[in-house]
Structures are given as structure tokens and as C-alpha cells.
Amino acid sequence: MNRHVASEPPLPVAIRRATVADAEALAEFGARTFFETFAKDNTAEDMRMHLASAWAPALQRAELLDVQFDTLLACDREGRLAGFAQLRVGHAPAGIATVKPVEVLRFYVDQPWQGQGVAGLLMLAAQDQARARGARELWLGVWERNERAQAFYRKHGFRKVGTQIFVVGTDPQTDHVMLREL
Ligand SMILES: CC(C)(COP(=O)(O)OP(=O)(O)OC[C@H]1O[C@@H](n2cnc3c(N)ncnc32)[C@H](O)[C@@H]1OP(=O)(O)O)[C@@H](O)C(=O)NCCC(=O)NCCS
């Protein structure tokens, strides 16, 4: 009997490494997606303070030039950003035994692309990049109230190993620290 195997159409998104020329687009995208994700759960002043401290072309330019950072972009066929992952070497989760950790410092997918597989592509690329750095573990902090992101990370092999504080503006928030071996 012939069996038809349906295959998913390829995702119209490709992953590439960011360069300093992407600083402006990344600053706009990062600020917008952070705002869209978290504005409803934070005061306007805490959001303003956080955005000013983390997202501006000069800040992203410095990070893109920093050899400790690896930034991966998911871009659609027109070259527009659909998501990004930012890895940072040299930081270990406090109080957690690790051999050679790399941190997923930021991981964002634009709303229209959520649930489409873009995040999974980015996560595989992030793991490959961390392995290329010689990492043995990938770890991250995710807000205790961000259940969608936690579910995504669990699906990709991360488990909760602790907590840490992440300050948004003036508000100290509890993050789950999640880790997976590579
Ligand atoms: C976190 C993020 C990258 C995940 O990408 P995604 O495309 O949404 O991920 P997926 O859809 O593959 O997986 C999310 C899972 O959470 C589930 N989910 C959706 N909403 C949920 C909710 N409110 N609570 C719990 N789980 C939820 C989904 O069903 C899915 O699981 P499934 O595949 O088993 O059905 C993306 O949602 C995002 O960029 N969010 C905004 C920014 C952010 O929070 N970044 C993380 C910072 S640490």
C-alpha cells in the first residue's frame, strides 16, 4: 500500500549571525518585543527605566562588538526580523555547579511568528553556537510568571535548577534559572 507522508512546508525564515550593522534594527525589535511581552505586568515607569537601560542602538552596537556575545537573528524572506537569540559566555548561574556554561541572555520571537517553529529553529541554532564555543551547559533566567516561555524551554530540554533576581526598573522580580546539558 502506498502511504502518503505529508511534510511540513519549509519555514520561510533563515537564521544568520548578527553584525554591528544590525544594531539599530535589533534595538528597535528588542525594545518593542520586551514592551509587548511585559508592559501589561509592569508599571509604565519601570518599563521606561528598563527599556532605557537595555535597548538603544549604542548598547546593541557594543554588545555586537563584544566577543563574549553571540547574537543570532531569524529573518523572513524580506530580511525582516522574526526573532533573535543572544548568548553570553563567561557568566555562570549563581550557586549551580557547571563545567562550561553559556547563558541565553535574551530570546525573543515576534508575536506573528510565535507558535510557528521559529523559536525552535533559533533554539537549535543557539545550541549549535554554544557547542561551537565549547560549552557543556546552556542556562537562562526566565520570569516566574512567564509560563509560555517556561513551557517552551522545558520542551527543549531545560529544567529548573534555581532562582535569581532580575530587576525591571525598580522592581526586583524572581526568575527561574533553567539549564540543560549540551
Ligand atoms: C518564549 C518564546 C520564544 C517561545 O516561542 P513560541 O513560538 O511561543 O514557542 P512554542 O509555541 O513552540 O512553545 C510554547 C509552548 O507553550 C505553550 N503555551 C502557550 N501559551 C501558554 C501559557 N499561557 N501558559 C503555558 N504554556 C503556554 C504552548 O502550547 C507551547 O507548547 P506546545 O508546543 O506543547 O503546545 C516566544 O513565545 C516569545 O518570544 N515570547 C515573548 C518573549 C519572551 O517571553 N521571551 C523569553 C524571555 S526568557
Side-chain angles (χ1 to χ4, degrees):
M1 188 179 82
N2 279 335
R3 196 161 62 93
H4 174 71
V5 180
S7 58
E8 295 285 326
L11 207 55
V13 160
I15 310 288
R16 69 172 173 85
R17 204 186 159 99
T19 74
V20 73
D22 297 302
E24 208 153 311
L26 191 58
E28 183 281 324
F29 185 89
R32 179 171 60 76
T33 51
F34 188 91
F35 186 87
E36 287 171 359
T37 309
F38 299 115
K40 63 181 185 313
D41 296 310
N42 288 278
T43 68
E45 180 57 10
D46 283 340
M47 286 301 287
R48 191 198 60 71
M49 286 174 69
H50 177 80
L51 294 177
S53 71
W55 298 105
L59 296 170
Q60 272 59 64
R61 201 168 294 120
E63 289 170 357
L64 289 166
L65 290 170
D66 187 331
V67 294
Q68 303 294 90
F69 281 75
D70 290 321
T71 304
L72 303 172
L73 307 181
C75 298
D76 71 10
R77 289 197 172 125
E78 279 75 48
R80 289 178 303 234
L81 268 175
F84 76 97
Q86 201 160 36
L87 306 182
R88 181 167 64 167
V89 302
H91 286 252
I96 310 294
T98 48
V99 181
K100 188 152 187 220
V102 163
E103 180 184 10
V104 183
L105 180 65
R106 298 182 179 123
F107 197 94
Y108 286 80
V109 167
D110 208 356
Q111 274 171 7
W113 289 103
Q114 290 175 14
Q116 309 283 315
V118 172
L121 269 186
L122 263 176
M123 180 52 76
L124 291 178
Q127 289 170 19
D128 285 347
Q129 183 58 35
R131 284 190 196 99
R133 286 277 200 168
R136 298 280 297 277
E137 303 98 356
L138 203 52
W139 72 279
L140 54 89
V142 52
W143 193 19
E144 61 181 347
R145 290 169 59 183
N146 191 348
E147 288 178 8
R148 178 167 192 152
Q150 290 170 36
F152 171 78
Y153 295 134
R154 276 195 301 274
K155 202 165 62 169
H156 287 272
F158 289 82
R159 65 185 187 281
K160 183 184 172 201
V161 293
T163 60
Q164 66 181 10
I165 298 299
F166 181 80
V167 180
V168 176
T170 58
D171 184 18
Q173 304 184 345
T174 302
D175 277 4
H176 291 183
V177 173
M178 299 183 80
L179 177 143
R180 62 154 289 164
E181 279 79 27
L182 290 170

